[in-house]
Short mmCIF file of all heavy atoms in Angstrom, two decimals:
data_model
loop_
_atom_site.label_atom_id
_atom_site.label_comp_id
_atom_site.label_asym_id
_atom_site.label_seq_id
_atom_site.Cartn_x
_atom_site.Cartn_y
_atom_site.Cartn_z
N PRO O 20 -92.67 17.98 18.72
CA PRO O 20 -92.55 16.62 19.23
C PRO O 20 -93.10 15.61 18.23
O PRO O 20 -94.06 15.88 17.52
CB PRO O 20 -93.39 16.64 20.50
CG PRO O 20 -94.31 17.79 20.34
CD PRO O 20 -93.61 18.78 19.45
N VAL O 21 -92.46 14.45 18.18
CA VAL O 21 -92.85 13.41 17.24
C VAL O 21 -93.15 12.13 18.00
O VAL O 21 -92.38 11.71 18.87
CB VAL O 21 -91.69 13.15 16.23
CG1 VAL O 21 -92.04 12.02 15.29
CG2 VAL O 21 -91.38 14.40 15.47
N ASP O 22 -94.28 11.52 17.69
CA ASP O 22 -94.64 10.23 18.28
C ASP O 22 -94.14 9.13 17.35
O ASP O 22 -94.69 8.91 16.28
CB ASP O 22 -96.15 10.13 18.46
CG ASP O 22 -96.58 8.83 19.09
OD1 ASP O 22 -95.73 8.15 19.73
OD2 ASP O 22 -97.76 8.46 18.96
N LEU O 23 -93.06 8.46 17.74
CA LEU O 23 -92.45 7.46 16.88
C LEU O 23 -93.03 6.08 17.07
O LEU O 23 -92.59 5.12 16.44
CB LEU O 23 -90.94 7.43 17.13
CG LEU O 23 -90.21 8.73 16.81
CD1 LEU O 23 -88.75 8.62 17.21
CD2 LEU O 23 -90.34 9.09 15.36
N THR O 24 -94.03 5.95 17.97
CA THR O 24 -94.62 4.65 18.22
C THR O 24 -95.71 4.30 17.21
O THR O 24 -96.08 3.15 17.06
CB THR O 24 -95.22 4.58 19.63
OG1 THR O 24 -96.21 5.61 19.75
CG2 THR O 24 -94.14 4.78 20.68
N THR O 25 -96.24 5.29 16.49
CA THR O 25 -97.28 5.03 15.52
C THR O 25 -96.75 5.29 14.12
O THR O 25 -95.77 5.99 13.92
CB THR O 25 -98.51 5.94 15.75
OG1 THR O 25 -98.10 7.30 15.61
CG2 THR O 25 -99.09 5.71 17.13
N ASN O 26 -97.43 4.72 13.16
CA ASN O 26 -97.01 4.89 11.77
C ASN O 26 -98.19 5.44 10.96
O ASN O 26 -98.59 4.89 9.95
CB ASN O 26 -96.53 3.57 11.18
CG ASN O 26 -95.83 3.77 9.86
OD1 ASN O 26 -95.48 4.88 9.51
ND2 ASN O 26 -95.64 2.69 9.12
N THR O 27 -98.80 6.52 11.44
CA THR O 27 -99.95 7.08 10.75
C THR O 27 -99.54 8.33 10.00
O THR O 27 -98.68 9.09 10.43
CB THR O 27 -101.06 7.45 11.75
OG1 THR O 27 -100.54 8.39 12.68
CG2 THR O 27 -101.55 6.22 12.48
N THR O 28 -100.16 8.52 8.87
CA THR O 28 -99.92 9.73 8.07
C THR O 28 -101.26 10.40 7.82
O THR O 28 -102.31 9.75 7.78
CB THR O 28 -99.25 9.39 6.73
OG1 THR O 28 -100.07 8.45 6.03
CG2 THR O 28 -97.87 8.81 6.93
N ALA O 29 -101.23 11.69 7.63
CA ALA O 29 -102.45 12.44 7.37
C ALA O 29 -102.97 12.11 5.97
O ALA O 29 -102.18 11.94 5.04
CB ALA O 29 -102.19 13.93 7.51
N PRO O 30 -104.29 12.02 5.81
CA PRO O 30 -104.82 11.74 4.48
C PRO O 30 -104.59 12.92 3.53
O PRO O 30 -104.61 14.07 3.94
CB PRO O 30 -106.31 11.52 4.72
CG PRO O 30 -106.60 12.19 6.01
CD PRO O 30 -105.33 12.15 6.80
N ARG O 31 -104.34 12.61 2.29
CA ARG O 31 -104.09 13.64 1.30
C ARG O 31 -105.41 14.24 0.81
O ARG O 31 -106.41 13.55 0.70
CB ARG O 31 -103.35 13.08 0.09
CG ARG O 31 -101.96 12.67 0.40
CD ARG O 31 -101.28 12.22 -0.86
NE ARG O 31 -99.87 11.99 -0.61
CZ ARG O 31 -99.01 11.77 -1.57
NH1 ARG O 31 -99.40 11.72 -2.81
NH2 ARG O 31 -97.75 11.57 -1.27
N LYS O 32 -105.37 15.53 0.49
CA LYS O 32 -106.54 16.18 -0.07
C LYS O 32 -106.64 15.83 -1.55
O LYS O 32 -105.65 15.82 -2.25
CB LYS O 32 -106.44 17.70 0.09
CG LYS O 32 -106.49 18.15 1.52
CD LYS O 32 -106.41 19.66 1.58
CE LYS O 32 -106.41 20.13 3.01
NZ LYS O 32 -106.27 21.60 3.10
N LYS O 33 -107.85 15.55 -1.99
CA LYS O 33 -108.05 15.22 -3.39
C LYS O 33 -108.17 16.50 -4.20
O LYS O 33 -108.82 17.45 -3.79
CB LYS O 33 -109.29 14.36 -3.58
CG LYS O 33 -109.12 12.99 -2.99
CD LYS O 33 -110.27 12.11 -3.33
CE LYS O 33 -110.02 10.72 -2.78
NZ LYS O 33 -111.11 9.81 -3.13
N ARG O 34 -107.57 16.51 -5.34
CA ARG O 34 -107.58 17.65 -6.23
C ARG O 34 -108.79 17.53 -7.16
O ARG O 34 -109.11 16.44 -7.64
CB ARG O 34 -106.28 17.66 -7.04
CG ARG O 34 -106.17 18.73 -8.06
CD ARG O 34 -104.78 18.75 -8.69
NE ARG O 34 -104.39 17.54 -9.36
CZ ARG O 34 -104.61 17.30 -10.66
NH1 ARG O 34 -105.20 18.17 -11.40
NH2 ARG O 34 -104.20 16.18 -11.20
N LYS O 35 -109.47 18.64 -7.38
CA LYS O 35 -110.59 18.62 -8.31
C LYS O 35 -110.06 18.38 -9.71
O LYS O 35 -108.98 18.81 -10.07
CB LYS O 35 -111.35 19.95 -8.26
CG LYS O 35 -112.04 20.17 -6.94
CD LYS O 35 -112.78 21.49 -6.95
CE LYS O 35 -113.41 21.75 -5.60
NZ LYS O 35 -114.05 23.08 -5.56
N SER O 36 -110.84 17.69 -10.52
CA SER O 36 -110.36 17.31 -11.85
C SER O 36 -110.12 18.50 -12.76
O SER O 36 -109.30 18.43 -13.67
CB SER O 36 -111.34 16.34 -12.50
OG SER O 36 -112.60 16.98 -12.65
N ASN O 37 -110.81 19.62 -12.54
CA ASN O 37 -110.63 20.76 -13.43
C ASN O 37 -109.54 21.72 -12.96
O ASN O 37 -109.21 22.67 -13.65
CB ASN O 37 -111.94 21.52 -13.61
CG ASN O 37 -112.50 22.02 -12.29
OD1 ASN O 37 -111.96 21.72 -11.24
ND2 ASN O 37 -113.58 22.77 -12.35
N GLU O 38 -108.95 21.48 -11.79
CA GLU O 38 -107.87 22.33 -11.30
C GLU O 38 -106.56 21.95 -11.98
O GLU O 38 -106.25 20.77 -12.12
CB GLU O 38 -107.69 22.18 -9.79
CG GLU O 38 -108.77 22.81 -8.97
CD GLU O 38 -108.50 22.66 -7.48
OE1 GLU O 38 -107.39 22.23 -7.10
OE2 GLU O 38 -109.41 22.97 -6.71
N PRO O 39 -105.78 22.93 -12.41
CA PRO O 39 -104.49 22.59 -13.02
C PRO O 39 -103.50 22.14 -11.94
O PRO O 39 -103.60 22.53 -10.78
CB PRO O 39 -104.03 23.90 -13.65
CG PRO O 39 -104.74 24.96 -12.87
CD PRO O 39 -106.06 24.35 -12.44
N LYS O 40 -102.56 21.31 -12.34
CA LYS O 40 -101.54 20.84 -11.42
C LYS O 40 -100.59 21.97 -11.08
O LYS O 40 -100.21 22.75 -11.94
CB LYS O 40 -100.72 19.71 -12.06
CG LYS O 40 -101.04 18.35 -11.60
CD LYS O 40 -100.05 17.38 -12.18
CE LYS O 40 -100.13 16.07 -11.47
NZ LYS O 40 -99.23 15.10 -12.03
N LYS O 41 -100.19 22.05 -9.83
CA LYS O 41 -99.21 23.06 -9.43
C LYS O 41 -97.83 22.58 -9.84
O LYS O 41 -97.46 21.43 -9.59
CB LYS O 41 -99.24 23.28 -7.92
CG LYS O 41 -100.49 23.94 -7.42
CD LYS O 41 -100.40 24.17 -5.94
CE LYS O 41 -101.66 24.79 -5.41
NZ LYS O 41 -101.61 24.99 -3.95
N LYS O 42 -97.08 23.46 -10.48
CA LYS O 42 -95.72 23.10 -10.87
C LYS O 42 -94.77 23.42 -9.73
O LYS O 42 -94.84 24.48 -9.12
CB LYS O 42 -95.30 23.87 -12.12
CG LYS O 42 -96.07 23.45 -13.34
CD LYS O 42 -95.50 24.07 -14.58
CE LYS O 42 -96.26 23.57 -15.79
NZ LYS O 42 -95.71 24.11 -17.02
N ARG O 43 -93.92 22.48 -9.43
CA ARG O 43 -92.93 22.67 -8.37
C ARG O 43 -91.70 23.35 -8.91
O ARG O 43 -91.26 23.07 -10.02
CB ARG O 43 -92.55 21.34 -7.74
CG ARG O 43 -93.69 20.70 -7.00
CD ARG O 43 -93.20 19.48 -6.30
NE ARG O 43 -94.31 18.86 -5.59
CZ ARG O 43 -94.19 17.81 -4.83
NH1 ARG O 43 -93.01 17.24 -4.70
NH2 ARG O 43 -95.22 17.30 -4.21
N ASP O 44 -91.14 24.21 -8.10
CA ASP O 44 -89.89 24.86 -8.46
C ASP O 44 -88.75 23.88 -8.18
O ASP O 44 -88.59 23.42 -7.05
CB ASP O 44 -89.71 26.13 -7.64
CG ASP O 44 -88.48 26.90 -8.03
OD1 ASP O 44 -87.98 26.69 -9.14
OD2 ASP O 44 -88.02 27.73 -7.22
N PRO O 45 -87.96 23.53 -9.18
CA PRO O 45 -86.90 22.55 -8.96
C PRO O 45 -85.67 23.15 -8.29
O PRO O 45 -84.59 22.60 -8.39
CB PRO O 45 -86.58 22.08 -10.38
CG PRO O 45 -86.89 23.25 -11.24
CD PRO O 45 -88.06 23.93 -10.57
N GLY O 46 -85.84 24.26 -7.59
CA GLY O 46 -84.73 24.92 -6.92
C GLY O 46 -84.28 24.18 -5.68
O GLY O 46 -84.60 23.00 -5.46
N THR O 47 -83.57 24.87 -4.85
CA THR O 47 -83.03 24.24 -3.65
C THR O 47 -84.05 24.23 -2.53
O THR O 47 -85.02 24.97 -2.53
CB THR O 47 -81.79 25.02 -3.18
OG1 THR O 47 -82.18 26.37 -2.90
CG2 THR O 47 -80.70 25.01 -4.23
N MET O 48 -83.82 23.37 -1.57
CA MET O 48 -84.70 23.25 -0.41
C MET O 48 -84.34 24.33 0.61
O MET O 48 -83.18 24.75 0.68
CB MET O 48 -84.52 21.88 0.24
CG MET O 48 -84.87 20.72 -0.66
SD MET O 48 -86.61 20.59 -0.99
CE MET O 48 -87.22 20.06 0.57
N PRO O 49 -85.30 24.78 1.42
CA PRO O 49 -85.00 25.81 2.42
C PRO O 49 -84.14 25.23 3.55
O PRO O 49 -84.33 24.09 3.95
CB PRO O 49 -86.37 26.22 2.94
CG PRO O 49 -87.24 25.04 2.69
CD PRO O 49 -86.70 24.40 1.44
N PRO O 50 -83.18 25.99 4.06
CA PRO O 50 -82.36 25.50 5.16
C PRO O 50 -83.11 25.57 6.49
O PRO O 50 -83.99 26.40 6.67
CB PRO O 50 -81.17 26.45 5.16
CG PRO O 50 -81.67 27.68 4.52
CD PRO O 50 -82.73 27.28 3.55
N TYR O 51 -82.77 24.68 7.39
CA TYR O 51 -83.37 24.61 8.72
C TYR O 51 -82.29 24.78 9.78
O TYR O 51 -81.16 24.37 9.59
CB TYR O 51 -84.06 23.26 8.95
CG TYR O 51 -85.29 23.06 8.12
CD1 TYR O 51 -85.24 22.36 6.92
CD2 TYR O 51 -86.52 23.56 8.53
CE1 TYR O 51 -86.37 22.17 6.15
CE2 TYR O 51 -87.65 23.37 7.77
CZ TYR O 51 -87.57 22.68 6.59
OH TYR O 51 -88.69 22.49 5.83
N ARG O 52 -82.67 25.35 10.91
CA ARG O 52 -81.77 25.43 12.07
C ARG O 52 -81.88 24.09 12.80
O ARG O 52 -82.96 23.64 13.13
CB ARG O 52 -82.20 26.57 12.98
CG ARG O 52 -81.20 26.86 14.06
CD ARG O 52 -81.58 28.04 14.93
NE ARG O 52 -82.29 29.08 14.24
CZ ARG O 52 -83.52 29.49 14.56
NH1 ARG O 52 -84.16 28.94 15.55
NH2 ARG O 52 -84.12 30.44 13.89
N LEU O 53 -80.76 23.45 13.04
CA LEU O 53 -80.74 22.11 13.62
C LEU O 53 -80.55 22.18 15.13
O LEU O 53 -80.00 23.15 15.66
CB LEU O 53 -79.61 21.29 13.00
CG LEU O 53 -79.61 21.22 11.47
CD1 LEU O 53 -78.42 20.44 10.99
CD2 LEU O 53 -80.89 20.64 10.94
N SER O 54 -80.97 21.12 15.82
CA SER O 54 -80.79 21.05 17.27
C SER O 54 -79.32 20.81 17.59
O SER O 54 -78.51 20.47 16.72
CB SER O 54 -81.63 19.92 17.85
OG SER O 54 -81.11 18.67 17.44
N GLU O 55 -78.96 20.96 18.85
CA GLU O 55 -77.57 20.76 19.28
C GLU O 55 -77.13 19.32 19.07
O GLU O 55 -75.99 19.06 18.70
CB GLU O 55 -77.42 21.17 20.74
CG GLU O 55 -77.58 22.65 20.97
CD GLU O 55 -77.49 23.02 22.44
OE1 GLU O 55 -77.12 22.16 23.26
OE2 GLU O 55 -77.79 24.17 22.77
N ASP O 56 -78.04 18.38 19.32
CA ASP O 56 -77.71 16.96 19.14
C ASP O 56 -77.40 16.64 17.68
O ASP O 56 -76.43 15.95 17.37
CB ASP O 56 -78.86 16.08 19.62
CG ASP O 56 -79.13 16.23 21.10
OD1 ASP O 56 -78.18 16.56 21.84
OD2 ASP O 56 -80.28 16.02 21.51
N LEU O 57 -78.23 17.15 16.79
CA LEU O 57 -78.02 16.89 15.37
C LEU O 57 -76.81 17.66 14.84
O LEU O 57 -76.09 17.17 13.98
CB LEU O 57 -79.27 17.25 14.58
CG LEU O 57 -79.36 16.74 13.15
CD1 LEU O 57 -79.18 15.23 13.10
CD2 LEU O 57 -80.68 17.12 12.52
N THR O 58 -76.55 18.84 15.39
CA THR O 58 -75.37 19.61 15.00
C THR O 58 -74.09 18.86 15.37
O THR O 58 -73.11 18.89 14.63
CB THR O 58 -75.39 21.00 15.67
OG1 THR O 58 -76.57 21.68 15.26
CG2 THR O 58 -74.20 21.81 15.28
N ALA O 59 -74.10 18.17 16.51
CA ALA O 59 -72.94 17.40 16.93
C ALA O 59 -72.64 16.26 15.95
O ALA O 59 -71.48 15.93 15.70
CB ALA O 59 -73.15 16.84 18.33
N VAL O 60 -73.67 15.69 15.36
CA VAL O 60 -73.49 14.59 14.42
C VAL O 60 -73.13 15.11 13.03
O VAL O 60 -72.20 14.62 12.39
CB VAL O 60 -74.77 13.72 14.34
CG1 VAL O 60 -74.68 12.69 13.25
CG2 VAL O 60 -75.04 13.06 15.68
N VAL O 61 -73.86 16.12 12.57
CA VAL O 61 -73.70 16.62 11.20
C VAL O 61 -72.50 17.55 11.07
O VAL O 61 -71.81 17.55 10.06
CB VAL O 61 -75.01 17.34 10.76
CG1 VAL O 61 -74.85 17.99 9.42
CG2 VAL O 61 -76.15 16.36 10.73
N GLY O 62 -72.26 18.38 12.08
CA GLY O 62 -71.13 19.29 12.04
C GLY O 62 -71.48 20.71 11.63
O GLY O 62 -70.64 21.59 11.67
N LYS O 63 -72.71 20.96 11.22
CA LYS O 63 -73.17 22.30 10.86
C LYS O 63 -74.49 22.55 11.55
O LYS O 63 -75.24 21.62 11.84
CB LYS O 63 -73.33 22.42 9.35
CG LYS O 63 -72.03 22.29 8.60
CD LYS O 63 -72.23 22.49 7.13
CE LYS O 63 -70.89 22.33 6.41
NZ LYS O 63 -71.03 22.49 4.97
N ASN O 64 -74.80 23.83 11.82
CA ASN O 64 -76.03 24.11 12.55
C ASN O 64 -77.18 24.55 11.65
O ASN O 64 -78.31 24.65 12.11
CB ASN O 64 -75.80 25.14 13.66
CG ASN O 64 -75.21 26.42 13.14
OD1 ASN O 64 -74.97 26.55 11.95
ND2 ASN O 64 -74.97 27.36 14.02
N ILE O 65 -76.94 24.80 10.36
CA ILE O 65 -78.01 25.13 9.43
C ILE O 65 -77.77 24.36 8.13
O ILE O 65 -76.72 24.51 7.49
CB ILE O 65 -78.06 26.65 9.14
CG1 ILE O 65 -78.39 27.41 10.41
CG2 ILE O 65 -79.07 26.95 8.05
CD1 ILE O 65 -78.39 28.91 10.25
N LEU O 66 -78.75 23.52 7.75
CA LEU O 66 -78.66 22.73 6.53
C LEU O 66 -80.06 22.45 5.99
O LEU O 66 -81.01 22.35 6.76
CB LEU O 66 -78.00 21.37 6.79
CG LEU O 66 -76.49 21.29 6.84
CD1 LEU O 66 -76.07 19.87 7.18
CD2 LEU O 66 -75.88 21.69 5.53
N PRO O 67 -80.20 22.26 4.67
CA PRO O 67 -81.47 21.78 4.13
C PRO O 67 -81.65 20.30 4.46
O PRO O 67 -80.68 19.58 4.74
CB PRO O 67 -81.32 21.97 2.62
CG PRO O 67 -80.18 22.89 2.44
CD PRO O 67 -79.30 22.73 3.64
N ARG O 68 -82.88 19.84 4.45
CA ARG O 68 -83.20 18.47 4.83
C ARG O 68 -82.45 17.42 4.00
O ARG O 68 -81.96 16.43 4.57
CB ARG O 68 -84.70 18.25 4.71
CG ARG O 68 -85.27 17.50 5.84
CD ARG O 68 -86.77 17.47 5.68
NE ARG O 68 -87.38 18.28 6.70
CZ ARG O 68 -88.09 17.79 7.69
NH1 ARG O 68 -88.30 16.51 7.76
NH2 ARG O 68 -88.60 18.58 8.60
N PRO O 69 -82.34 17.54 2.68
CA PRO O 69 -81.61 16.51 1.94
C PRO O 69 -80.14 16.39 2.35
O PRO O 69 -79.60 15.30 2.41
CB PRO O 69 -81.72 16.96 0.48
CG PRO O 69 -82.92 17.83 0.44
CD PRO O 69 -83.00 18.49 1.77
N GLN O 70 -79.51 17.52 2.68
CA GLN O 70 -78.11 17.46 3.10
C GLN O 70 -77.98 16.92 4.51
O GLN O 70 -76.96 16.33 4.86
CB GLN O 70 -77.46 18.83 2.96
CG GLN O 70 -76.96 19.04 1.55
CD GLN O 70 -77.36 20.39 1.00
OE1 GLN O 70 -77.82 21.25 1.72
NE2 GLN O 70 -77.20 20.55 -0.29
N VAL O 71 -79.02 17.10 5.34
CA VAL O 71 -79.00 16.50 6.67
C VAL O 71 -79.03 14.98 6.53
O VAL O 71 -78.25 14.27 7.17
CB VAL O 71 -80.20 16.99 7.53
CG1 VAL O 71 -80.30 16.20 8.81
CG2 VAL O 71 -80.07 18.47 7.82
N THR O 72 -79.92 14.50 5.66
CA THR O 72 -80.00 13.05 5.44
C THR O 72 -78.69 12.51 4.87
O THR O 72 -78.20 11.46 5.29
CB THR O 72 -81.15 12.74 4.47
OG1 THR O 72 -82.35 13.32 4.96
CG2 THR O 72 -81.34 11.25 4.30
N GLN O 73 -78.09 13.23 3.95
CA GLN O 73 -76.82 12.81 3.36
C GLN O 73 -75.71 12.77 4.41
O GLN O 73 -74.93 11.81 4.47
CB GLN O 73 -76.45 13.78 2.23
CG GLN O 73 -75.19 13.41 1.51
CD GLN O 73 -74.87 14.43 0.42
OE1 GLN O 73 -75.42 15.52 0.38
NE2 GLN O 73 -73.97 14.06 -0.47
N ALA O 74 -75.66 13.79 5.27
CA ALA O 74 -74.64 13.83 6.31
C ALA O 74 -74.86 12.72 7.34
O ALA O 74 -73.90 12.17 7.88
CB ALA O 74 -74.64 15.19 6.99
N LEU O 75 -76.12 12.39 7.62
CA LEU O 75 -76.40 11.29 8.54
C LEU O 75 -75.91 9.96 7.98
O LEU O 75 -75.37 9.14 8.72
CB LEU O 75 -77.89 11.21 8.85
CG LEU O 75 -78.41 12.21 9.86
CD1 LEU O 75 -79.91 12.12 9.97
CD2 LEU O 75 -77.77 11.98 11.21
N TRP O 76 -76.11 9.74 6.68
CA TRP O 76 -75.62 8.50 6.09
C TRP O 76 -74.11 8.43 6.10
O TRP O 76 -73.53 7.35 6.30
CB TRP O 76 -76.17 8.32 4.67
CG TRP O 76 -77.53 7.69 4.70
CD1 TRP O 76 -78.71 8.28 4.36
CD2 TRP O 76 -77.85 6.37 5.12
NE1 TRP O 76 -79.74 7.39 4.55
CE2 TRP O 76 -79.24 6.21 5.00
CE3 TRP O 76 -77.10 5.30 5.58
CZ2 TRP O 76 -79.89 5.03 5.34
CZ3 TRP O 76 -77.76 4.13 5.92
CH2 TRP O 76 -79.13 4.00 5.79
#
Side-chain angles (χ1 to χ4, degrees):
V21 177
D22 181 20
L23 298 175
T24 59
T25 61
N26 192 14
T27 59
T28 57
R31 292 184 172 190
K32 294 181 182 178
K33 292 188 177 182
R34 177 174 61 91
K35 293 180 183 176
S36 61
N37 58 354
E38 288 182 10
K40 256 187 166 178
K41 291 182 182 178
K42 292 188 177 182
R43 294 186 180 183
D44 184 20
T47 60
M48 299 290 289
Y51 291 96
R52 189 177 327 119
L53 307 177
S54 69
E55 293 177 10
D56 297 333
L57 194 55
T58 301
V60 173
V61 174
K63 296 183 181 179
N64 56 0
I65 296 177
L66 278 177
R68 223 174 249 249
Q70 275 133 12
V71 171
T72 306
Q73 183 181 15
L75 281 175
W76 275 112

